[in-house]
Amino acid sequence: MERLRQHIEHITSLTNEEFEYIQTHFTKKRVLKNQYLLHEGDDVKNEFVVLSGLYKVFFLDEQGREYIIQFAKENWWMSDYQAFFQEKKATVFIECIEAGEVLVSTLETREKLSAELHKMEHFYRVKLTNGYVALQERIKLLLSSTPQERYEAFVKLYPDLLQGIPKKLIAEYLGVSRETLSRLYSR
Amino acid sequence: MERLRQHIEHITSLTNEEFEYIQTHFTKKRVLKNQYLLHEGDDVKNEFVVLSGLYKVFFLDEQGREYIIQFAKENWWMSDYQAFFQEKKATVFIECIEAGEVLVSTLETREKLSAELHKMEHFYRVKLTNGYVALQERIKLLLSSTPQERYEAFVKLYPDLLQGIPKKLIAEYLGVSRETLSRLYSR
DNA sequence: AAAAAAGTGTGACCGAAGTCACACTTGTAA
DNA sequence: TTACAAGTGTGACTTCGGTCACACTTTTTT
């Protein structure tokens, strides 16, 4: 839980009492490799804060092709935010790539803490601001770049992921075929 | 200004005094067709709330090709949010397609109102949440869909834009060539 | 240790979308 | 009202990336 505190205090400082209270709204959960935290069609009751391990957020098209929206590592938040905020059924999957731990929270928690503690509303706003900017960057990249440039941008964003995971997953994140990606660095 | 009030109260209710105060942080500005509200390389001092008219937020790649990030109409907010929040130079342009009016605000305003009024921090958080979800949807679409599907999704999102603006702009939003877009509905 | 499964590189082929060129229409300005 | 610019559709050609196939390697399982 100390991790969560540091994470929040990176944005806004808290008293011990405040953190004590906030803490009660999060529960720790161990996650094993290949375990699903969220499955298409589920009610999206939770959002997750990654403490350790590696996870992928992805979806499938009609032909069953897989597209990765996000890799999540330490201190990243993840959910099917569309469904989470709008209380719809999940359209994405969250699967564990490397075992680790996450904190589990709910929409009620987010709204309640935001309403009760101005500081927490601030925290969530800042997090969302950063997330918004990151997504916009991804859109610009998807719109304008060649596979080559996307790959280079990926390397910058996730330098540590390059060795750890199958290239296939990187291809699914970039939106190119495995073969095309392979040809990018073999020439 | 009444428009701004309705817009905010759609999310959180305000007293007259509160709105009086908030109001002083926004100034109205008339915008003419083809006028730029923001130019690549500028310091991004402002964000804009659209009262009327139509605007495009776009950027250029090295070859000078144009990509539209967002069309903005009534009640949409726009800026180069990346640069705005991080106080960097603009990498995008905002240009007026149809004359109208906007409200002009600043980062200081956003932060100040958020800090002073919990309600406003809430307002900004909710706006950001919606924006985040919309961007994520766009990413999913860009990753997985054919030009055909993108076009159909566009029609749903901006049904009113179809007749008003040149098809070239739609193509730039979808990330396909003008010719490809043209062939989508001529067969 | 053997067998099965997953990951990776590479060639051959194909097809969807980009580019270029041009004709025709519509809108705008002199 | 004429002239010029902008917008639009369509054909010909090209090209980049996808798909399929297969060999080889590495990892996992039994």
Side-chain angles (χ1 to χ4, degrees), chain A residues 15-27:
Chain A
T15 64
N16 288 336
E17 302 75 56
E18 282 168 341
F19 183 69
E20 275 308 311
Y21 178 66
I22 289 165
Q23 201 191 83
T24 62
H25 296 80
F26 292 83
T27 61

Side-chain angles (χ1 to χ4, degrees), chain A residues 69 76 128-145 149-150 152-154 156-157 173, chain B residues 59 62 67 69 79-83 86 88-92 131-132 135-136 138-139 142:
Chain A
I69 297 175
W76 288 53
L128 237 6
T129 299
N130 297 154
Y132 185 91
V133 166
L135 291 191
Q136 183 140 312
E137 187 57 31
R138 180 118 191 255
I139 289 174
K140 286 172 71 177
L141 213 64
L142 286 174
L143 271 177
S144 71
S145 63
E149 295 167 318
R150 286 188 214 179
E152 283 157 15
F154 179 85
K156 261 192 199 155
L157 183 60
Y173 179 87
Chain B
F59 66 100
E62 317 74 50
Y67 301 88
I69 296 176
S79 186
D80 178 345
Y81 279 113
Q82 210 158 349
Q86 299 173 1
K88 305 248 178 74
K89 302 282 182 187
T91 61
V92 311
Y132 185 92
L135 291 191
Q136 184 141 311
R138 181 118 191 256
I139 289 174
L142 285 174

Side-chain angles (χ1 to χ4, degrees), chain A residues 54-176:
Chain A
L54 181 65
Y55 308 81
K56 62 173 176 176
V57 182
F58 68 98
F59 66 101
L60 302 177
D61 68 12
E62 316 75 49
Q63 290 104 108
R65 265 185 301 249
E66 191 172 317
Y67 300 88
I68 293 179
I69 297 175
Q70 183 198 349
F71 289 106
K73 47 188 182 179
E74 194 174 326
N75 285 337
W76 288 53
W77 293 57
M78 56 187 183
S79 187
D80 178 347
Y81 279 113
Q82 211 161 347
F84 180 72
F85 290 125
Q86 299 173 1
E87 305 186 68
K88 305 247 177 75
K89 301 282 182 188
T91 61
V92 311
F93 303 78
I94 300 180
E95 186 178 355
C96 177
I97 299 176
E98 270 173 25
E101 290 186 321
V102 298
L103 295 177
V104 183
S105 179
T106 65
L107 183 58
E108 297 76 60
T109 290
R110 180 180 272 252
E111 297 301 324
K112 181 161 163 270
L113 291 180
S114 289
E116 292 171 346
L117 298 168
H118 188 168
K119 279 178 186 177
M120 283 305 283
E121 184 118 51
H122 180 71
F123 169 75
Y124 283 119
R125 178 173 72 85
V126 172
K127 287 291 290 179
L128 237 6
T129 299
N130 297 154
Y132 185 91
V133 166
L135 291 191
Q136 183 140 312
E137 187 57 31
R138 180 118 191 255
I139 289 174
K140 286 172 71 177
L141 213 64
L142 286 174
L143 271 177
S144 71
S145 63
T146 62
Q148 179 74 257
E149 295 167 318
R150 286 188 214 179
Y151 176 68
E152 283 157 15
F154 179 85
V155 173
K156 261 192 199 155
L157 183 60
Y158 295 105
D160 43 330
L161 286 195
L162 280 183
Q163 43 285 359
I165 64 171
K167 305 277 186 284
K168 180 169 155 270
L169 295 183
I170 298 177
E172 285 166 10
Y173 179 87
L174 299 179
V176 299

Side-chain angles (χ1 to χ4, degrees), chain B:
Chain B
M1 283 298 176
E2 201 39 44
R3 268 285 188 54
L4 177 64
R5 180 161 188 173
Q6 283 164 22
H7 182 50
I8 297 173
E9 292 214 286
H10 198 254
I11 289 172
T12 185
S13 59
L14 300 172
T15 65
N16 288 336
E17 302 75 57
E18 283 168 341
F19 183 68
E20 275 308 310
Y21 178 67
I22 289 165
Q23 201 189 83
T24 62
H25 295 80
F26 292 83
T27 61
K28 199 181 276 187
K29 174 172 184 157
R30 300 213 295 147
V31 192
L32 299 177
K33 185 167 175 171
N34 298 324
Q35 185 179 340
Y36 284 86
L37 287 174
L38 184 66
H39 194 284
E40 186 182 65
D42 287 354
D43 285 311
V44 184
K45 292 191 283 286
N46 300 309
E47 64 178 330
F48 306 95
V49 190
V50 176
L51 295 177
S52 58
L54 183 65
Y55 309 82
K56 62 173 177 177
V57 182
F58 68 98
F59 66 100
L60 302 177
D61 67 13
E62 317 74 50
Q63 288 104 108
R65 265 185 301 249
E66 192 172 317
Y67 301 88
I68 294 179
I69 296 176
Q70 182 197 349
F71 289 107
K73 48 189 181 179
E74 194 174 326
N75 286 338
W76 288 51
W77 293 57
M78 56 187 184
S79 186
D80 178 345
Y81 279 113
Q82 210 158 349
F84 180 72
F85 290 125
Q86 299 173 1
E87 306 186 69
K88 305 248 178 74
K89 302 282 182 187
T91 61
V92 311
F93 302 77
I94 300 180
E95 186 179 355
C96 177
I97 299 176
E98 270 172 26
E101 290 185 322
V102 298
L103 295 177
V104 184
S105 179
T106 65
L107 183 59
E108 297 76 59
T109 290
R110 180 180 272 252
E111 296 301 324
K112 180 160 164 274
L113 290 180
S114 288
E116 292 172 346
L117 299 167
H118 188 167
K119 281 178 185 177
M120 283 304 284
E121 184 118 51
H122 180 70
F123 169 75
Y124 283 119
R125 178 174 71 85
V126 172
K127 288 291 289 179
L128 237 6
T129 300
N130 297 154
Y132 185 92
V133 166
L135 291 191
Q136 184 141 311
E137 187 56 32
R138 181 118 191 256
I139 289 174
K140 285 172 72 177
L141 214 63
L142 285 174
L143 271 177
S144 71
S145 63
T146 62
Q148 180 73 259
E149 294 165 319
R150 286 189 213 178
Y151 176 68
E152 283 155 16
F154 179 85
V155 173
K156 261 193 200 155
L157 184 60
Y158 296 106
D160 42 329
L161 286 194
L162 279 183
Q163 44 286 356
I165 64 171
K167 305 275 186 281
K168 180 169 156 272
L169 295 183
I170 298 177
E172 285 167 10
Y173 179 87
L174 298 179
V176 299
S177 73
R178 213 205 82 234
E179 294 91 331
T180 297
L181 176 61
S182 166
R183 282 170 183 127
L184 284 184
Y185 38 68
S186 67
R187 65 167 74 135

